[in-house]
Amino acid sequence: MRLLLASGSSRRADLLAQLGLRFDVKTPDVDETRRPDEEPSTYVERVARDKAEAVATADAVVVAGDTAVVYEGHIMGKPGHPEEARSMLRRLQGDVHEVLTGLAVAASGEIHSLVDVTIVRMLPMTDDEIGDYVDTGEPMDKAGAYALQGRGGAFVESVNGSPFTVVGLPIHLLPRLLARVGADIRRFDTSRPV
């Protein structure tokens, strides 16, 4: 069995590599449109499951994730243009929000999933700080228009929960989910012979 990451996210791939895991990547083709009245936690778990199912094969254990930034009950996706990024950051600055990541693991016709929630408190930001940050381009492909693991981390005051959930893959849940499909995470360890 091989480990397969169902994601085009370099951040998720980086996290698996940091764990010392051997894996392949296949970007899933799924509709990530939120359904009417779908709760944020239901949404991220469903999309993670859809991604895992989309690339499932008989010879692989598939890992997939989906992340959403939720502020005052509303999902903040990736900004479509710089002004939208500025608007998102103006709302988030000086306040708290939730980051939800759905994690799904599929193998041998089974799929298991969980949702992890982390609370993030942002520092107050001036319009100049927001503008300078947006001008770097970093916010443009990030949910909520910031990257904890990048320059945006300078604006994060505190994280209550796993920072890996904010980055996009709650790695502390991965061994438990792999075990549910009968896969020991050590099987994919790069320090062990293939």
Side-chain angles (χ1 to χ4, degrees):
M1 280 273 188
R2 63 192 175 107
L3 188 63
L4 184 60
L5 175 62
S7 178
S9 165
S10 61
R11 295 168 298 283
R12 291 190 180 107
D14 288 347
L15 288 174
L16 288 185
Q18 287 173 26
L19 287 176
L21 300 181
R22 181 184 310 107
F23 63 96
D24 296 315
V25 174
K26 185 170 183 186
T27 303
D29 182 18
V30 299
D31 181 2
E32 296 185 35
T33 305
R34 187 174 170 206
R35 295 175 181 159
D37 300 320
E38 190 172 31
E39 291 296 317
S41 61
T42 304
Y43 167 69
V44 295
E45 187 169 17
R46 175 184 59 81
V47 173
R49 291 175 69 93
D50 288 351
K51 289 176 180 179
E53 289 175 330
V55 302
T57 66
D59 70 336
V61 176
V62 180
V63 174
D66 191 67
T67 302
V69 170
V70 180
Y71 179 68
E72 294 183 342
H74 301 286
I75 290 180
M76 295 180 124
K78 296 175 183 177
H81 49 81
E83 189 48 49
E84 186 177 9
R86 286 184 191 88
S87 175
M88 287 181 179
L89 290 167
R90 283 186 197 109
R91 283 180 277 165
L92 294 178
Q93 65 85 28
D95 208 346
V96 297
H97 61 273
E98 295 178 321
V99 180
L100 287 72
T101 295
L103 178 65
V105 173
S108 305
E110 289 184 67
I111 185 164
H112 295 274
S113 56
L114 295 166
V115 176
D116 199 50
V117 181
T118 294
I119 307 298
V120 177
R121 177 175 292 281
M122 302 292 280
L123 291 165
M125 300 167 70
T126 66
D127 279 344
D128 284 345
E129 288 174 321
I130 290 170
D132 289 347
Y133 179 49
V134 171
D135 287 347
T136 69
E138 183 179 86
M140 298 313 300
D141 70 339
K142 310 293 187 295
Y146 76 95
L148 175 68
Q149 73 282 10
R151 294 176 182 184
F155 304 111
V156 174
E157 181 177 351
S158 64
V159 175
N160 185 359
S162 172
F164 301 112
T165 295
V166 180
V167 177
L169 191 70
I171 58 176
H172 62 290
L173 299 176
L174 188 56
R176 192 165 91 201
L177 275 184
L178 287 170
R180 287 187 186 175
V181 295
D184 188 323
I185 194 167
R186 294 174 297 181
R187 170 191 288 178
F188 310 109
D189 191 322
T190 56
S191 66
R192 292 172 173 252
V194 178

